Amino acid sequence: MKGYMLIGGERIFKDKEIEILFPYDNSVVGTIPDGDEEDARRAVDAAIKGFERMKELTAYDRYSILSKAARILSNRSYEIAELLTKEVGKTIKESMGEVGRAVNTLTLSAEEAKRIAGEEVNFDAAPGIRGKVGFYRRVPLGVIGCITPFNFPLNLTCHKVGPALAAGNSVVIKPSENTSLVTIKLAEILIEAGFPPEAVNVITGYGEKVGDALVRDERVRMITFTGSVETGKIIMSRGGLKKYAMELGSNAGVYVDKDQSVRLDFVSEKICRGGFALAGQVCISVQRVFVHDYLFDDFINRAVEFTKTLKIGNPLEETTDMGSVIDVQAADRIMEWIEEAVSAGAKIVCGGKRLSDTVIEPTIVINVPEDVRLFTGEVFGPVIVVNRVKSVDEAIEKVNLSRYGLQAGIFTNDLRAAFKFSKEVEAGGIMVNEIPTFRVDQMPYGGVKESGIGREGPLFAIEEMTEIKTICFDINF
């Protein structure tokens, strides 16, 4: 597929292009233009015009258009899913799941378009004030820059673009250079459904050129970004006075309490699936597992037994359970982190081998020191760390040994332990008797510490993507 930029409804091709490769075997999927600062400026120019056109749409219009876009996307599910698999390397089953979630995210955004409202302000609650009545309302910001990651290029784009358009904003989307083609398809669907072409723009290329120009443009009122902590900090340092929503990853921790022996098969399988889905390239992948000493050996045996049943291979095959990581550089880094941990005293009990340039076995590593990158960083690969703890208090301490705080989980039958864990663990979401990888698209989703600022989920993203306008009437006049 020959990709292009969408600026003001016009398809923009360039002589200088970037190849998009199928991560599994490095075959060429397509190309995209290598955009630059001028492309970003033109896209913002178009988006400013698009914002004026968005003002002509009623809340019902925005609801109807987003609902139609969801139907179009649903009707093209397999086509979009196949492209997702070829760009990302996730299995076709995972891609079909992402398309389904994206349809739901657009549908939720459509519904929220009808619910954006303010409320009355009691001005006379202040001393000496009489005869003043009024209210506040939520109004759109204007142009929103949406910078999206490689791992969920469809649904995470919907999480930014759906609420932005529902609220009446216009958007400039800068997708990952690894996975831009499906984002272009989504933008075309939104325009086909009825949004003004100037309101939905896509610029492609590298972040240091086209992305940086988008961030620096003072006319862009908000940047919503999903990616690394380091890039998020750069964006906020360069973007200046605008709003930000930042989802910056994690190394999610989960605790298995001593009372879980009866359902240990279920718990161990669930945790492994949470660590190896999309080859571990999920912001809330299970990475650090803390198991009560009483169950530790039994848990490891069952986790290893389940992991060995997973079929690793071509993600386009329906029977494949896990595919590749995004590129060779990512695989190099993951293997380096595993080797560092082993050199420091950790032990591989399952996997640990590289099957090809980009395919790594699902790997379980135990007794991992707390100062190695496999424990402190975000591995973003198919690796689970499992360490022993002796109590829920120790588990809380270990989970909190992280600069991140996106989501965490606990498996326990003890209500007090569950409440203690949910109160004391520093994370934006706590899952009780569920893995931290759990997310539904309507929930508030976001982190604390270096996991970011702001919340996603259409209702909550709309709050981020609007501002309050207060209106006061003096009825004494």
Side-chain angles (χ1 to χ4, degrees):
M1 174 183 170
K2 189 175 180 65
Y4 41 82
M5 289 185 277
L6 275 172
I7 299 178
E10 180 183 356
R11 294 182 176 184
I12 306 296
F13 298 89
K14 306 193 82 170
D15 292 334
K16 191 174 182 181
E17 295 183 320
I18 300 168
E19 284 188 336
I20 291 181
L21 306 177
F22 181 25
Y24 179 68
D25 62 10
N26 281 331
S27 59
V28 177
V29 179
T31 59
I32 54 169
D34 185 0
D36 56 26
E37 295 85 350
E38 178 61 19
D39 296 313
R41 186 193 64 76
R42 289 183 57 201
V44 176
D45 288 345
I48 289 172
K49 296 176 183 176
F51 180 51
E52 293 303 313
R53 293 196 59 189
M54 287 293 290
K55 292 177 182 178
E56 300 169 7
L57 301 179
T58 66
Y60 185 80
D61 291 334
R62 300 193 300 271
Y63 155 77
S64 297
I65 296 169
L66 282 165
S67 297
K68 183 177 180 181
R71 292 193 297 272
I72 295 171
L73 181 59
S74 180
N75 291 337
R76 296 173 60 183
S77 289
Y78 192 83
E79 169 204 344
I80 300 295
E82 188 174 39
L83 182 57
L84 267 172
T85 291
K86 289 178 178 178
E87 284 199 285
V88 183
K90 62 176 63 179
T91 68
I92 192 67
K93 291 183 290 188
E94 291 169 331
S95 293
M96 286 297 291
E98 181 175 352
V99 175
R101 285 186 61 186
V103 170
N104 186 48
T105 301
L106 289 180
T107 302
L108 290 167
S109 298
E111 291 293 337
E112 293 301 335
K114 298 187 293 185
R115 300 187 182 121
I116 302 170
E119 61 182 50
E120 183 178 354
V121 177
N122 293 322
F123 293 100
D124 63 2
I129 302 300
R130 290 181 179 275
K132 286 185 169 57
V133 297
F135 56 92
Y136 73 82
R137 60 192 310 186
R138 287 197 168 271
V139 298
L141 294 172
V143 178
I144 295 182
C146 307
I147 303 177
T148 59
F150 76 81
N151 58 339
F152 289 92
L154 181 63
N155 191 40
L156 290 187
T157 303
C158 287
H159 266 288
K160 300 179 187 306
V161 174
L165 296 172
N169 300 287
S170 62
V171 297
V172 178
I173 310 165
K174 193 284 171 191
S176 166
E177 62 272 14
N178 296 102
T179 56
S180 296
L181 299 175
V182 75
T183 306
I184 296 166
K185 294 281 190 186
L186 173 65
E188 288 197 321
I189 287 172
L190 290 165
I191 293 170
E192 178 186 345
F195 282 114
E198 300 90 345
V200 184
N201 303 275
V202 181
I203 51 176
T204 61
Y206 295 105
E208 55 266 29
K209 287 196 301 183
V210 70
D212 186 62
L214 176 64
V215 166
R216 289 180 182 272
D217 196 311
E218 293 181 355
R219 299 170 298 170
V220 176
R221 293 295 314 282
M222 178 179 180
I223 295 291
T224 172
F225 168 75
T226 299
S228 70
V229 172
E230 292 70 27
T231 303
K233 289 179 177 179
I234 291 170
I235 287 172
M236 293 187 72
S237 69
R238 295 180 180 176
L241 191 60
K242 52 174 60 85
K243 294 184 76 173
Y244 299 92
M246 296 273 149
E247 199 277 274
L248 305 178
S250 190
N251 53 9
V254 61
Y255 169 57
V256 181
D257 208 355
K258 62 182 178 182
D259 58 12
Q260 296 300 292
S261 57
V262 172
R263 55 176 187 166
L264 201 57
D265 281 335
F266 169 81
V267 172
S268 58
E269 177 179 337
K270 200 168 186 67
I271 285 173
C272 290
R273 289 192 184 278
F276 303 137
L278 187 49
Q281 299 169 116
V282 183
C283 293
I284 43 177
S285 286
V286 173
Q287 181 174 331
R288 299 176 304 141
V289 184
F290 303 98
V291 180
H292 194 283
D293 188 68
Y294 176 73
L295 293 178
F296 185 85
D297 292 334
D298 200 6
F299 175 88
I300 293 299
N301 290 337
R302 298 184 196 208
V304 169
E305 183 181 0
F306 169 76
T307 300
K308 288 181 177 179
T309 68
L310 297 174
K311 181 182 176 182
I312 317 304
N314 188 339
L316 287 168
E317 295 178 2
E318 297 278 353
T319 56
T320 297
D321 295 307
M322 196 190 88
S324 59
V325 296
I326 190 63
D327 55 30
V328 175
Q329 292 74 27
D332 289 344
R333 178 188 54 76
I334 294 162
M335 293 305 299
E336 180 183 323
W337 286 21
I338 294 171
E339 291 160 9
E340 177 193 52
V342 171
S343 297
K347 179 182 178 182
I348 298 171
V349 295
C350 185
K353 296 185 179 64
R354 192 168 179 169
L355 304 180
S356 72
D357 284 347
T358 55
V359 178
I360 297 171
E361 289 181 319
T363 300
I364 301 174
V365 188
I366 65 172
N367 305 328
V368 176
E370 294 167 2
D371 59 350
V372 300
R373 288 174 291 180
L374 204 56
F375 188 96
T376 63
E378 181 180 29
V379 66
F380 227 59
V383 186
I384 295 176
V385 167
V386 189
N387 284 355
R388 300 173 185 264
V389 293
K390 295 182 179 179
S391 66
V392 66
D393 292 284
E394 186 181 0
I396 291 167
E397 176 190 345
K398 301 303 183 185
V399 170
N400 284 340
L401 278 179
S402 175
R403 61 178 177 148
Y404 301 109
L406 188 48
Q407 294 199 160
I410 178 174
F411 286 90
T412 184
N413 296 329
D414 186 338
L415 193 59
R416 289 182 180 177
F419 271 98
K420 182 179 181 63
F421 189 91
S422 62
K423 179 181 179 181
E424 297 182 14
V425 167
E426 300 158 349
I430 305 294
M431 306 297 129
V432 178
N433 290 329
E434 181 58 90
I435 52 175
T437 320
F438 175 78
R439 178 185 181 184
V440 291
D441 294 296
Q442 67 267 32
M443 74 187 231
Y445 175 77
V448 300
K449 300 194 284 189
E450 290 197 357
S451 282
I453 55 176
R455 292 294 180 269
E456 289 190 344
L459 168 62
F460 309 96
I462 284 172
E463 292 179 353
E464 307 276 355
M465 294 173 173
T466 54
E467 54 195 354
I468 288 174
K469 177 181 283 188
T470 303
I471 301 163
C472 176
F473 292 86
D474 187 339
I475 58 175
N476 297 311
F477 185 78

